[in-house]
Amino acid sequence: MTRRSQQLTHSPEDPDLALILAMAKGQVSSLETLYARYGPGLLIYLKGRLEDSDLAEEVLQDVMLAAWKGAPRFRGECRVRTWLMAITRNRAINAHQRKRQPASLPIDWAPPAILSHASHSERLDQVVDLQMALSNLPDETRETLELVFYHGLSAKEVAYIQKIAPGTVKSRLHRAMNYLRKLMTPEYPNDE
Amino acid sequence: MNEHIVDLLPFYLNQTLASEEQEAVREHLAACLECCSALVEWEALSNELNQVIASRTGGQLPQLSPVLRSSLRPRPPAGQMIHSAANLIWAQRVFLRHNLWFPVVFVVMVFSTTASLVFQTYNSNWLAIPMLILVPILAALAVAFLHYLDFDPALEVVVTTPTSPVSLIFARLTLALWVINLLAALGSLLVSILTRQPLSWLIGVWLGPMLMLSALSTVLSLIWNPWIAASSTLTSWAALIILLVSEQAGTQQIQVSLMGLLHPDLLIFGFMLVLAGLLWLLSWVWLSREANLPQW
């Protein structure tokens, strides 16, 4: 499903909509309000995605400029917050590419060989906590988890931001949970 | 365990389900121990994840940067935008005055007009040839060096101006083409009055090729460099003119007739106009990509 064809639940009472309308008319204070409201969350997302605080702050400025310029064209097909997050993600991807870092893993990923091929007894010897397990997840999957649990977005909103189908969001979550279960509980039955 | 409900658990937890779905999950959880257990797992994961993410916080949210603030200007009304564009184009005259650009163009135009009048005394068909030869190539050569750093008399201003190089280059292009068009049109008018030939024909002969060749020159100069643009447009145009003159003299060198250049109809003119438009569009896209900005 393409991004454009997705019908997101748009709530007319979106409190941020008035800010966007005011921004479209050139009211700078509305941008400042939007920045104060969502800047911290977006910065946290960018820091996680880019692993570079300075670059994250720079990209955040770029995101706010894009929001300012894009405000007159905002069509209200999603919440303002989701729209901002989609802009942020696009800018983060561009910044990531400029840094020429390795691309993130594909959607159809497999657990790292050292973990997936390890026997149960070998796994027992590995001290793996959840934080470390999370760091082993592919970027896209970790991003899905973050968007759902930290930013509190719905399946359709996450799908809109990540440009995937809502079903893929759910399957990513499902696979992430299975993967984490395997890492955290050695006795958990192996699929293979 | 209901697979559909399991898929909804993360969104039940973050409370983004529609109210009827939220209620359905709540009712299911009351009766299904497995799903309750899965929910506990999701909750644990959510808590841990939030702790991990919270560790990224620290420091204050930076202020909106002054550079960003300076960009926060509302879009001006159409009239003001046209006025600004006209000012920008007019400001490029300093470039056209530099290196005797304007006098050279003027002299060439006077020369081609005089040559047309001289040619007319031998053969009225040859009347338009001087303009056909000189105007397009003059435009192509001028356009090739529009953004060449060594020839820029206002470099210090250019590199510090807030105007984008794309706008500057196209402003120069517009002004240069207008000047050449104006001088060539005046020359054609003079020839038309003195020889009683139709002005539309005299202008139509050079206008299409001029647009096409200068658009080609723009693209080549942006993608490679001004020297390649100048030499390749000059060579190809010279070759075309030699073939045309041969054909006019009765010794046709190629199968295709080039007489359409001397007597262009609307189809030929329209084709050249569209081609020129496409080439300039390509130039604009090429320039707009940040990495391709030449020499600024």
Side-chain angles (χ1 to χ4, degrees), chain A residues 26 28 31-32 35 39-40 43-45 47-48 57 60-61 64-65 68 130-131 134 145-146 148-150 152-155 169-170 173 177 180-181, chain B residues 3 6-8 10-11 13-14 16 38 41-42 44-46 48-50 52-54 56-58 60-65 68-69 71-74:
Chain A
V28 177
L31 179 76
E32 287 166 343
Y35 182 62
L43 187 59
I44 285 174
Y45 169 84
K47 281 181 178 174
E57 289 181 6
L60 182 59
Q61 301 285 330
M64 298 319 291
L65 181 59
W68 174 262
L130 185 55
Q131 184 167 345
L134 284 169
L145 286 169
E146 181 175 334
V148 172
F149 292 115
Y150 188 79
L153 299 175
S154 72
V169 174
K170 290 171 185 171
L173 291 173
M177 180 53 98
L180 294 171
R181 273 195 201 115
Chain B
E3 287 299 323
V6 169
D7 281 347
L8 296 181
F11 306 101
L13 206 56
N14 75 1
T16 54
E41 279 184 325
W42 279 119
L45 172 61
S46 172
E48 187 70 29
L49 187 72
N50 284 336
V52 171
I53 294 169
R56 284 185 217 150
T57 55
Q60 294 286 315
L61 179 69
Q63 295 291 313
L64 290 174
S65 73
L68 170 68
R69 284 184 179 281
S71 306
L72 304 181
R73 286 172 302 183

Side-chain angles (χ1 to χ4, degrees), chain A residues 44-55:
Chain A
I44 285 174
Y45 169 84
L46 286 168
K47 281 181 178 174
R49 179 98 197 186
L50 299 170
E51 295 170 345
D52 180 338
S53 292
D54 292 340
L55 182 61

Side-chain angles (χ1 to χ4, degrees), chain A:
Chain A
M1 187 183 289
T2 64
R3 174 182 161 180
R4 293 289 173 211
S5 63
Q6 287 176 16
Q7 290 298 313
L8 296 182
T9 312
H10 165 56
S11 53
E13 64 274 15
D14 185 352
D16 303 321
L17 201 56
L19 293 177
I20 294 294
L21 293 174
M23 278 164 58
K25 288 177 184 166
Q27 196 179 86
V28 177
S29 62
S30 296
L31 179 76
E32 287 166 343
T33 307
L34 199 72
Y35 182 62
R37 196 172 288 173
Y38 295 116
L42 298 179
L43 187 59
I44 285 174
Y45 169 84
L46 286 168
K47 281 181 178 174
R49 179 98 197 186
L50 299 170
E51 295 170 345
D52 180 338
S53 292
D54 292 340
L55 182 61
E57 289 181 6
E58 189 183 311
V59 172
L60 182 59
Q61 301 285 330
D62 195 24
V63 168
M64 298 319 291
L65 181 59
W68 174 262
K69 288 183 175 172
R73 294 188 302 277
F74 181 70
R75 292 180 299 181
E77 62 182 15
C78 61
R79 285 194 295 169
V80 172
R81 179 188 182 189
T82 312
W83 176 66
L84 265 183
M85 186 55 86
I87 295 174
T88 307
R89 183 176 185 270
N90 288 341
R91 300 284 157 156
I93 289 171
N94 290 344
H96 205 268
Q97 284 169 348
R98 279 203 300 274
K99 280 176 73 181
R100 298 180 183 222
Q101 287 186 351
S104 47
L105 292 168
I107 293 167
D108 296 324
W109 56 280
I114 189 171
L115 296 169
S116 59
H117 292 152
S119 69
H120 284 174
S121 59
E122 283 171 327
R123 282 193 211 162
L124 275 172
D125 294 332
Q126 295 174 348
V127 182
V128 183
D129 63 6
L130 185 55
Q131 184 167 345
M132 186 176 161
L134 284 169
S135 68
N136 281 328
L137 286 172
D139 290 348
E140 299 295 317
T141 305
R142 200 167 51 246
E143 184 185 60
T144 307
L145 286 169
E146 181 175 334
L147 291 173
V148 172
F149 292 115
Y150 188 79
H151 296 280
L153 299 175
S154 72
K156 282 182 180 175
E157 287 173 322
V158 176
Y160 174 86
I161 291 165
Q162 294 196 307
K163 295 173 185 164
I164 53 175
T168 310
V169 174
K170 290 171 185 171
S171 63
R172 273 186 189 176
L173 291 173
H174 186 67
R175 279 187 290 173
M177 180 53 98
N178 279 347
Y179 176 60
L180 294 171
R181 273 195 201 115
K182 281 180 197 171
L183 285 178
M184 301 304 294
T185 55
E187 68 279 5
Y188 191 79
N190 199 333
D191 288 344
E192 294 171 11

Side-chain angles (χ1 to χ4, degrees), chain B residues 49-200:
Chain B
L49 187 72
N50 284 336
Q51 279 183 27
V52 171
I53 294 169
S55 67
R56 284 185 217 150
T57 55
Q60 294 286 315
L61 179 69
Q63 295 291 313
L64 290 174
S65 73
V67 177
L68 170 68
R69 284 184 179 281
S70 68
S71 306
L72 304 181
R73 286 172 302 183
R75 185 179 287 272
Q80 194 179 332
M81 284 174 74
I82 292 169
H83 186 249
S84 301
N87 274 342
L88 182 64
I89 291 169
W90 182 239
Q92 304 309 309
R93 68 191 184 282
V94 63
F95 179 81
L96 301 191
R97 280 205 303 263
H98 189 65
N99 286 347
L100 301 177
W101 189 94
F102 186 82
V104 167
V105 171
F106 185 77
V107 167
V108 171
M109 288 305 168
V110 169
F111 173 75
S112 63
T113 307
T114 313
S116 294
L117 294 170
V118 173
F119 273 45
Q120 197 264 343
T121 59
Y122 294 104
N123 185 339
S124 62
N125 268 341
W126 290 56
L127 174 65
I129 286 187
M131 285 266 187
L132 174 65
I133 295 173
L134 290 172
V135 176
I137 201 60
L138 187 65
L141 293 178
V143 164
F145 294 95
L146 278 181
H147 60 80
Y148 194 51
L149 193 68
D150 293 351
F151 292 170
D152 200 323
L155 178 65
E156 287 181 9
V157 178
V158 163
V159 295
T160 54
T161 184
T163 309
S164 79
V166 187
S167 306
L168 278 176
I169 288 174
F170 273 79
R172 284 182 181 180
L173 180 76
T174 308
L175 186 64
L177 290 183
W178 268 110
V179 168
I180 292 172
N181 266 312
L182 188 68
L183 289 173
L186 284 174
S188 299
L189 180 65
L190 186 66
V191 173
S192 170
I193 292 169
L194 293 176
T195 62
R196 297 177 187 279
Q197 295 290 341
L199 180 63
S200 58

